[in-house]
Amino acid sequence: MIDLRSDTLTRPTEAMLESMREASFGDDSRDGDATVQKLEAMAAERTGKEAGAFVPSGTMTNLVAMLTHAQRGGEVLLEQGSHTLTAELGGIAGVAGLFYRGIPGKRGAMDLERLGEAVRPTTRHQMGTALIWMENTHNRAGGAVLPLAHMKAVHGLAREKGIPVHLDGARIFNAAISLGVPPLEIAQYSDSVCFCVSKGLSAPVGSILCGSAAFIERARANRRMVGGNMRQAGPLAAAGIVALETMVNRLPEDHQSAKRLAEGFHRIDASLCDPKDVETNLVRVDLKKSGKRAAQWSADLKTKGVLVAPADTWTLRFVTHRHISAPDVDAAVGAFADLWKKSLDTKDTKDTKEKQIRI
Ligand SMILES: Cc1ncc(COP(=O)(O)O)c(C=O)c1O
């Protein structure tokens, strides 16, 4: 099977498994654990923040960040397709007790004018803006990278109004590679940032939330509240350390695979995707022209040995990662091409029949 559903499928490397065996087994929730502390310090350094806290998942780092930045009843402004609004099951409202407003955006970047209009103070008649949120790379925008100038503008606007900024940087290293800058140049435009070692970086589990020392101290209490304190987390942190040390520099390979995939789809039919839109390791494929929904495409591709998940009714999301080689990409494109031809032929026959019935 060529599994293009997610970069979270990456298995730990031999070096990771080795480091996990040798890791410390301190109780991180009681006395602290040396390996966890090392990972947290590395994460803070990479993102240019004072401190970090190791958390089981990206969703939980985001939740802990909102709980730490904002009071219940405050309003969070974030791009309307953000992972937090579309894939975290409403924890923002249901658990953190926050209101939110999705700001329309282009390729994951909020419309600055609309954002500026949405910012408001707390008065006796309205809830004020408690937090501004960015996501880089942006998942639903197909791994799009927020330009630094955009991030700077959002940060500037927030600063002016005294509003904190969180960056969901689940794939910040992919963004950094694409922009050709260290991740701290991206994270400088936020007060807190989280990233995952469990995605393209191949560690089995974990995300790190980074920010000022005072912020992280408060975040640790919220992490405990939502059940995210881990005990002997040393082995997980050990894999995370190896991920940071050895897996970042290979991410360009995943970006090249994604480009190759997009170029393959584009050659089949230009309506499927524009390779110019592919900046990192995600490729969104628009299936409308086939008249066949993404769920059916996913099922049909599975019969040809290709696993891929629907992103919405008419879109498939392909994710490249360490276990996807150039021949895998070509095989996936080949399987897709066969099905594409068949589905267009079927659609033509169906359309002609419908026309005849109407006549
Ligand atoms: C942008 C973004 N944020 C957060 C998450 C959540 O991470 P996790 O699956 O570790 O909860 C994801 C997962 O894909 C993501 O893409």
Side-chain angles (χ1 to χ4, degrees):
M1 281 288 177
I2 300 169
D3 201 338
L4 289 149
R5 287 171 302 164
S6 179
D7 46 10
T8 56
L9 295 156
T10 44
R11 293 180 295 276
T13 61
E14 275 309 310
M16 284 178 195
L17 294 171
E18 192 62 32
S19 73
M20 290 172 86
R21 266 191 294 273
E22 285 166 11
S24 50
F25 280 84
D27 182 340
D28 190 50
S29 192
R30 191 176 301 274
D31 315 311
D33 172 77
T35 316
V36 172
Q37 285 160 2
K38 183 173 170 192
L39 173 64
E40 290 174 341
M42 276 175 82
E45 196 217 310
R46 300 282 172 109
T47 53
K49 304 294 181 204
E50 285 174 2
F54 190 38
V55 178
S57 71
T59 300
M60 198 185 273
T61 46
N62 281 338
L63 186 59
V64 169
M66 4 173 143
L67 285 164
T68 310
H69 278 301
Q71 298 283 331
R72 288 181 81 78
E75 189 172 57
V76 186
L77 302 178
L78 67 183
E79 200 279 328
Q80 64 187 10
S82 61
H83 190 273
T84 294
L85 285 192
T86 59
E88 294 175 14
L89 300 192
I92 192 168
V95 183
L98 295 162
F99 287 85
Y100 55 83
R101 230 176 322 161
I103 308 292
K106 241 194 219 136
R107 295 192 51 73
M110 288 179 279
D111 181 306
L112 288 174
E113 213 174 298
R114 299 286 288 273
L115 176 66
E117 286 162 9
V119 172
R120 56 188 185 181
T122 304
T123 68
R124 59 201 288 191
H125 302 296
Q126 67 184 19
M127 62 216 162
T129 310
L131 180 60
I132 294 179
W133 191 278
M134 287 186 272
E135 180 177 318
N136 199 5
T137 64
H138 195 287
N139 190 333
R140 282 192 86 77
V145 179
L146 298 186
L148 289 177
H150 170 81
M151 295 191 70
K152 188 176 179 185
V154 171
H155 186 245
L157 188 119
R159 271 284 158 282
E160 215 176 274
K161 310 274 181 192
I163 300 163
V165 177
H166 174 69
L167 171 62
D168 176 354
R171 294 184 181 81
I172 196 172
F173 289 97
N174 296 84
I177 296 280
S178 176
L179 289 166
V181 300
L184 56 80
E185 279 196 36
I186 301 173
Q188 69 176 315
Y189 300 118
S190 67
D191 299 287
S192 61
V193 54
C194 60
F195 68 85
C196 304
V197 286
S198 58
K199 298 196 160 67
L201 298 184
S202 298
V205 171
S207 298
I208 302 102
L209 176 63
C210 300
S212 71
F215 173 85
I216 291 299
E217 194 50 37
R218 288 185 286 118
R220 287 183 189 285
N222 286 321
R223 180 183 67 174
R224 183 176 179 86
M225 183 178 76
V226 296
N229 264 21
M230 292 182 279
R231 296 292 179 176
Q232 295 173 13
L236 294 177
I241 291 168
V242 177
L244 286 181
E245 283 172 347
T246 65
M247 290 288 111
V248 174
N249 289 341
R250 62 151 305 287
L251 290 178
E253 290 170 35
D254 299 346
H255 297 184
Q256 282 151 19
S257 302
K259 225 6 163 216
R260 187 181 180 102
L261 196 56
E263 282 161 0
F265 292 136
H266 191 76
R267 272 195 301 275
I268 296 168
D269 194 304
S271 73
L272 288 168
C273 73
D274 185 346
K276 282 202 294 298
D277 290 343
V278 176
E279 294 177 274
T280 56
N281 67 328
L282 271 56
V283 181
R284 284 172 72 89
V285 172
D286 182 343
L287 305 158
K288 268 191 224 85
K289 189 171 166 186
S290 72
K292 186 165 85 176
R293 286 163 199 262
Q296 190 57 51
W297 269 101
S298 176
D300 292 350
L301 281 163
K302 191 174 176 185
T303 65
K304 296 209 162 244
V306 178
L307 295 178
V308 58
D312 57 43
T313 313
W314 298 107
T315 313
L316 284 175
R317 186 194 73 160
F318 292 77
V319 187
T320 55
H321 52 77
R322 198 176 109 243
H323 307 308
I324 299 296
S325 62
D328 290 336
V329 167
D330 297 344
V333 170
F336 188 95
D338 285 350
L339 290 168
W340 183 256
K341 193 172 169 330
K342 274 189 209 132
S343 68
L344 289 198
D345 289 348
T346 315
K347 188 168 179 278
D348 281 351
T349 320
K350 211 171 122 207
D351 289 351
T352 315
K353 270 194 193 146
E354 273 172 15
K355 227 183 263 166
Q356 282 167 347
I357 290 166
R358 258 184 270 130
I359 289 164

